[in-house]
Amino acid sequence: MRPNVWGLLNGLYPNKPPDDIPLIGVKASCLLLNTLAEVTITQRYKNNSSNPIEAIYVFPVDDEAAVNGFTAHLGQRTVRGVIREKEKAKQEYKAALDEGHGAALLETAGPGSLSVRLGNLAAGCEAEICIVYSTLCPVEDNAIVLKVPTTIKERYMPSAPLQASDAASEQPAYSSSVAYGLSLDVDIYMSGKISNVSSSTHPLSVSNDPDDGSHCQAKLGVEKVAMDGDVIIRVKHSDLHKPVVFLSSQADVDNGSAGLMLSFVPEFEEASDSSEQLEFVFLIDRSGSMGWSGNSGKSRPIDQCRDALQLFLRSLPEGCLFNIVGFGSRFEKLFSSSRLYDSTSLEEATRHVASLDSNMGGTEILAPLKSILSESSTSLLEKVFGKSGMKSSRKLFLLTDGAVGNTQQVIQTVKEHAGNTQVFTFGVGDGAASDLVNGVARAGRGESCFIRHGEAIDEKVITQLGKAMQPVLEDVAIDWGVLEVDEQSPLKINLAPVFNNTPYTVFALLSKASQHQGQVVLSGKLLGKEQRFTVDVTPWTTTRTDCRILHSLAAKQVIRGLQEAGGASKKVLDLSLRFEVASSEASFVAVEEREEREDGVLKTIKVPLSPIGPSVVTPGPMLGPIFSSSCCCRCTRRAAPPCASRVLRLRSCSQSSSKGSSSRRSAPVDSVSTKSFGMVPMSMAESAPMLPMAKSRSAKKAMRQDEAPTMAFAERATAELPAGGPTDPLQALASLQDVSGYWQLNERLAQAVQMSKDAIMTSRPSDVTIESVWSTAIAIAFLQRKCGEKRVAFSLMEKKAKMWMAKQDGMSSEKVDDLITCACKLF
């Protein structure tokens, strides 16, 4: 049957989607086992037209997702999808359509997205497509975070040619109004007692298990939610920072192997390498989309970044080097090269940060990255300090809300410089591409985190800065003991550094003959000293199931490691077929053979997504995808043994799903369009008006061919700080802290701590002879008493201040703490 693609305009329906869009609802059911999640997506289709159709739906999944199940309910028949080599799956699908049979094809559409094709859906008929995937949930802010993506931001396409891996992504359709919605339920099992289940994005209804404090169920608090933003669910429990071991049974898969996941939580004392000169570079996305706050009225991503940078600047260690680079369609540097962190450079940086806005056009991230990474740290240190042979370490912090079409090129560029630059990434706002944010951090041997609309950014950025300032466990190795491991992830050649008190997860596929008990040892060197951390593997049998979770995730992690190491497509295909996991080399196909075959012209319709943010201005074709997800299995579970390291042995179980219809966050989908912003003219979307810039010598220099125009900000006129300074108490105090760590007693400090200058002076203890010591104690006390809920955010500022105080008059750390306690009595 010959397909006829229904007309689209740049992947977007020009006004509204046609009435015969076949997707009528999406249900997501999730099973959450600690940090492991299995998500089942059920998509309902109906052909409202008078002819057979082919429906195409490109939708998002987490970039960690291992897709391991595909079932099509076509009419009265249920057809289970089978995994095939990618081209073979396409051929089987096409052959089925040509012969008039029904068929469905599930394949990867690009980073973090899948594509479903449902072919020969007869006129007036309905169909259901069920997709099962497993994923590993991150731990953020002492909570396990389950993310169910529903749509994908349009990808900004740079003008430079793309690599094949980037160019292969399939383009979705978009519409400012879609009629289908999402229902979701989650079955939650933790290894410790659950203390809190919440969502910052949607209302939740939570049902606790009266007989088991480690089990509960959650569902959306409204009947329908629009698929215009991720659903985020956070779970806190008592054993969050204890090692966890998941072990599946050999009987779970035909080939007899067992899946294993270990989550170490290493803890070591804080230390510093005094011989290492630190350089901090902040790379800030200033594209037009960073100025979009959605319909929530909350802070714009660029506003969040501006506040975070002010805390960054006050938390840097004395004597380091730093720079700030903003990028959009071009990029500009605060300094032509990193400068010494002192009072002068801090003042310049403070004024620069106050002037930052989302006024630089598109999202050309590759050029500034190359400019930063190509600069020699050795030459820079010789230039600043006038000596050679100094040991250096560059820390790069990337803050972006973006999704770009050249993700693999960006990742590869970072990977090539991982030996001298560690990269930490922050996805800011809704829709930041997880493949970019996570992939760059992995390649740069750093860490990633996401700050979504409505979430505080300050604590997260300071936590990452704290990690960057501490040495990590390097030369990492894993000793599996008596366990016989066929495959492991991370690969032996690519074990990432280990951060203090941060979960470090490894996966393994055990051989058929392997024992399932023993010890696994994680080892490495901390500042040259050997460190060892041991986890006992002691199986714990439960009636909960993994539904192939561990095998799928372990295979997916190994596949990702192979691809990031460069190629090995044959081994990727072998693992995909062996463990039935979709990949760039393998897809699922389901065929329904019919006695009465469809004939005529097959109309192809793309199911549109709700876009995130304004439309993207891009010099090339747009990329993107949409979707929704989640799953729920209801079974019983035996209580776990009371041990610090828990091992879950997982077996098969049946699924059941609860009732629930599609929905919107707070209003019904069928009465309110998903987003009312409509289309933003291209001249306004990613290209806000540029601030006028004076011509400078550096701006006139010839640029390398692969770089966008750049300019050193310090050579231009600087913007003034807003009159009156920051209004937030933490930001106000941060803006007054000296580069050395102390607070000078003046009227501005008095106003910030809500005291008079005279009151501060008269309250000073008689044995404190240095005025700034007391004013610094006052500032710390105010932060502790009035901003206690943001303790993490000002922790590095406080640490630096205490170090300064301890240097004055030979004060001991005990006396410093006593003085701050005395100051606390004033608040």
Side-chain angles (χ1 to χ4, degrees):
M1 182 171 289
R2 186 175 73 255
N4 177 29
V5 178
W6 198 84
L8 300 173
L9 176 62
N10 289 329
L12 182 86
Y13 290 101
N15 296 307
K16 67 170 188 170
D19 295 332
D20 58 356
I21 288 297
L23 184 64
I24 58 177
V26 179
K27 178 178 180 180
S29 295
C30 304
L31 169 64
L32 183 61
L33 302 173
N34 263 49
T35 55
L36 294 180
E38 182 184 70
V39 181
T40 297
I41 306 296
T42 303
Q43 301 167 351
R44 290 182 58 220
Y45 296 86
K46 183 176 181 180
N47 182 3
N48 295 310
S49 70
S50 57
N51 296 301
I53 64 169
E54 179 190 42
I56 302 176
Y57 185 28
V58 181
F59 57 92
V61 290
D62 193 275
D63 71 318
E64 302 279 350
V67 181
N68 61 352
F70 182 55
T71 305
H73 302 277
L74 305 170
Q76 302 300 314
R77 297 186 60 189
T78 298
V79 183
R80 181 179 179 273
V82 293
I83 193 85
R84 294 279 190 266
E85 187 274 328
K86 191 163 189 173
E87 289 305 317
K88 187 175 181 181
K90 287 182 179 178
Q91 292 169 8
E92 289 187 19
Y93 174 77
K94 183 177 182 302
L97 297 194
D98 290 343
E99 295 174 9
H101 299 305
L105 178 68
L106 174 68
E107 56 187 345
T108 58
S113 62
L114 297 174
S115 170
V116 166
R117 290 176 178 265
L118 178 59
N120 274 339
L121 182 59
C125 289
E126 292 192 12
E128 278 191 356
I129 298 294
C130 292
I131 300 153
V132 181
Y133 70 83
S134 307
T135 190
L136 180 65
C137 300
V139 176
E140 299 177 2
D141 299 333
N142 296 313
I144 294 170
V145 180
L146 172 66
K147 180 180 77 171
V148 182
T150 65
T151 188
I152 286 189
K153 198 170 187 176
E154 296 174 64
R155 291 182 179 269
Y156 176 88
M157 296 302 295
S159 54
L162 299 181
Q163 293 180 350
S165 55
D166 284 319
S169 299
E170 183 169 350
Q171 175 183 325
Y174 288 92
S175 173
S176 59
S177 176
V178 297
Y180 57 86
L182 171 72
S183 63
L184 178 146
D185 55 69
V186 190
D187 209 13
I188 302 170
Y189 287 85
M190 296 289 113
S191 57
K193 184 177 180 180
I194 297 171
S195 59
N196 182 263
V197 178
S198 63
S199 173
S200 59
T201 59
H202 296 76
L204 282 184
S205 173
V206 180
S207 301
N208 296 316
D209 187 336
D211 301 320
D212 186 354
S214 61
H215 173 228
C216 71
Q217 294 177 336
K219 62 180 181 179
L220 293 173
V222 291
E223 187 178 4
K224 288 183 178 182
V225 294
M227 296 175 65
D228 57 0
D230 296 346
V231 179
I232 305 295
I233 296 176
R234 300 177 182 274
V235 181
K236 295 184 178 182
H237 69 93
S238 59
D239 292 348
L240 186 63
H241 293 290
K242 291 181 180 179
V244 176
V245 180
F246 288 86
L247 180 65
S248 66
S249 168
Q250 286 183 333
D252 285 340
V253 291
D254 296 336
N255 59 36
S257 66
L260 177 69
M261 188 200 87
L262 302 176
S263 180
F264 296 88
V265 188
E267 187 172 354
F268 35 83
E269 292 184 6
E270 287 192 8
S272 61
D273 186 353
S274 58
S275 66
E276 191 174 63
Q277 180 65 48
L278 295 177
E279 178 192 3
F280 298 91
V281 180
F282 304 101
L283 182 56
I284 310 301
D285 187 345
R286 292 177 57 186
S287 61
S289 61
M290 289 287 286
W292 184 78
S293 61
N295 297 330
S296 63
K298 297 174 182 174
S299 296
R300 304 178 302 160
I302 191 65
D303 298 328
Q304 290 181 295
C305 288
R306 192 186 301 114
D307 290 345
L309 272 173
Q310 295 290 9
L311 293 181
F312 263 138
L313 292 174
R314 264 64 192 185
S315 301
L316 294 177
E318 190 176 7
C320 71
L321 304 176
F322 80 105
N323 205 350
I324 300 172
V325 182
F327 72 93
S329 298
R330 55 188 175 85
F331 68 93
E332 67 177 26
K333 297 180 178 181
L334 169 58
F335 310 119
S336 57
S337 60
S338 292
R339 285 256 303 267
L340 184 65
Y341 180 61
D342 56 23
S343 297
T344 302
S345 60
L346 176 60
E347 183 180 355
E348 288 184 43
T350 299
R351 293 183 180 279
H352 174 53
V353 169
S355 72
L356 292 182
D357 208 348
S358 53
N359 56 359
M360 294 185 70
T363 314
E364 298 279 352
I365 187 174
L366 192 58
L369 263 179
K370 287 183 175 181
S371 177
I372 294 167
L373 297 175
S374 63
E375 186 171 3
S376 169
S377 296
T378 303
S379 300
L380 177 62
L381 293 180
E382 290 182 7
K383 174 184 174 183
V384 174
F385 297 102
K387 16 173 156 171
S388 59
M390 295 181 68
K391 183 181 176 183
S392 66
S393 178
R394 179 186 290 142
K395 314 291 182 178
L396 174 62
F397 297 85
L398 168 63
L399 289 82
T400 180
D401 74 334
V404 296
N406 60 342
T407 297
Q408 293 308 312
Q409 288 175 283
V410 172
I411 290 173
Q412 183 60 34
T413 299
V414 171
K415 185 177 179 181
E416 291 170 358
H417 295 84
N420 61 11
T421 303
Q422 189 176 29
V423 183
F424 296 81
T425 57
F426 303 84
V428 186
D430 293 338
S434 59
D435 60 305
L436 174 68
V437 176
N438 293 331
V440 168
R442 283 195 302 267
R445 300 173 71 78
E447 288 217 325
S448 60
C449 73
F450 292 84
I451 303 102
R452 300 164 185 92
H453 276 300
E455 295 182 350
I457 191 174
D458 43 17
E459 292 191 7
K460 292 188 177 184
V461 297
I462 296 303
T463 296
Q464 298 295 67
L465 179 60
K467 290 179 180 180
M469 291 166 58
Q470 286 292 314
V472 296
L473 197 68
E474 298 180 302
D475 298 333
V476 178
I478 299 173
D479 182 357
W480 296 99
V482 298
L483 301 177
E484 297 180 28
V485 174
D486 284 342
E487 304 284 353
Q488 77 171 56
S489 175
L491 304 181
K492 293 180 181 179
I493 61 172
N494 194 35
L495 287 170
V498 179
F499 294 91
N500 185 28
N501 203 29
T502 301
Y504 188 86
T505 302
V506 295
F507 288 88
L509 295 168
L510 306 183
S511 67
K512 296 179 183 180
S514 177
Q515 298 184 40
H516 288 178
Q517 296 188 17
Q519 286 189 332
V520 178
V521 178
L522 176 75
S523 63
K525 291 183 179 179
L526 182 68
L527 296 179
K529 295 182 180 180
E530 187 75 21
Q531 303 279 333
R532 291 168 61 87
F533 304 92
T534 301
V535 170
D536 292 324
V537 179
T538 306
W540 165 43
T541 304
T542 173
T543 54
R544 292 303 312 163
T545 179
D546 67 346
C547 301
R548 310 173 77 93
I549 291 177
L550 287 175
H551 293 87
S552 302
L553 273 178
K556 168 71 174 183
Q557 296 289 326
V558 172
I559 287 171
R560 189 189 69 190
L562 290 169
Q563 292 174 324
E564 290 181 349
S569 58
K570 185 179 184 306
K571 191 167 185 180
V572 169
L573 177 59
D574 290 343
L575 286 169
S576 297
L577 298 179
R578 178 184 172 191
F579 293 100
E580 298 186 354
V581 176
S583 70
S584 60
E585 305 295 328
S587 305
F588 282 94
V589 62
V591 175
E592 177 208 17
E593 295 188 358
R594 299 174 179 172
E595 293 183 6
E596 296 184 10
R597 304 184 183 187
E598 300 295 334
D599 197 8
V601 176
L602 184 64
K603 180 180 179 181
T604 298
I605 303 177
K606 280 192 172 184
V607 176
L609 317 181
S610 285
I612 298 177
S615 181
V616 173
V617 167
T618 171
M622 289 186 291
L623 295 179
I626 166 171
F627 137 112
S628 94
S629 77
S630 209
C631 147
C632 176
C633 296
R634 312 203 190 291
C635 302
T636 58
R637 180 185 78 152
R638 293 185 210 163
C643 58
S645 173
R646 302 205 172 196
V647 182
L648 303 183
R649 182 180 293 280
L650 308 167
R651 304 188 187 281
S652 298
C653 77
S654 59
Q655 282 186 1
S656 65
S657 57
S658 63
K659 293 181 180 180
S661 56
S662 307
S663 68
R664 174 166 183 77
R665 297 193 185 188
S666 58
V669 165
D670 55 5
S671 63
V672 180
S673 66
T674 57
K675 278 202 174 27
S676 58
F677 57 79
M679 286 302 298
V680 177
M682 284 193 171
S683 60
M684 297 172 60
E686 281 277 89
S687 287
M690 302 288 184
L691 291 177
M693 294 189 299
K695 298 206 173 184
S696 68
R697 185 177 307 165
S698 65
K700 298 176 182 178
K701 291 181 180 178
M703 304 308 302
R704 284 167 35 184
Q705 204 166 20
D706 59 351
E707 288 185 332
T710 182
M711 182 171 290
F713 182 88
E715 297 177 11
R716 302 193 279 112
T718 56
E720 293 296 323
L721 286 170
T727 56
D728 176 77
L730 175 56
Q731 289 288 334
L733 272 179
S735 68
L736 299 176
Q737 189 179 25
D738 184 80
V739 68
S740 299
Y742 70 89
W743 277 271
Q744 184 178 357
L745 180 56
N746 54 34
E747 291 295 343
R748 292 181 65 190
L749 176 66
Q751 183 180 4
V753 298
Q754 301 168 16
M755 294 177 66
S756 69
K757 184 179 177 181
D758 289 341
I760 295 175
M761 294 177 65
T762 56
S763 63
R764 187 177 77 188
S766 58
D767 60 339
V768 178
T769 59
I770 302 176
E771 183 179 83
S772 294
V773 169
W774 179 239
S775 58
T776 300
I778 289 286
I780 296 174
F782 180 86
L783 289 172
Q784 290 182 355
R785 298 301 295 268
K786 302 296 184 179
C787 306
E789 74 283 358
K790 294 185 176 182
R791 186 65 183 261
V792 174
F794 64 77
S795 59
L796 295 181
M797 294 166 51
E798 179 182 359
K799 180 180 178 180
K800 185 163 67 169
K802 286 183 175 180
M803 290 176 63
W804 178 85
M805 292 174 67
K807 295 176 184 177
Q808 314 305 312
D809 286 346
M811 294 179 67
S812 66
S813 58
E814 291 80 10
K815 187 173 180 180
V816 168
D817 289 336
D818 289 344
L819 191 60
I820 294 171
T821 300
C822 177
C824 283
K825 295 177 182 178
L826 300 176
F827 299 100

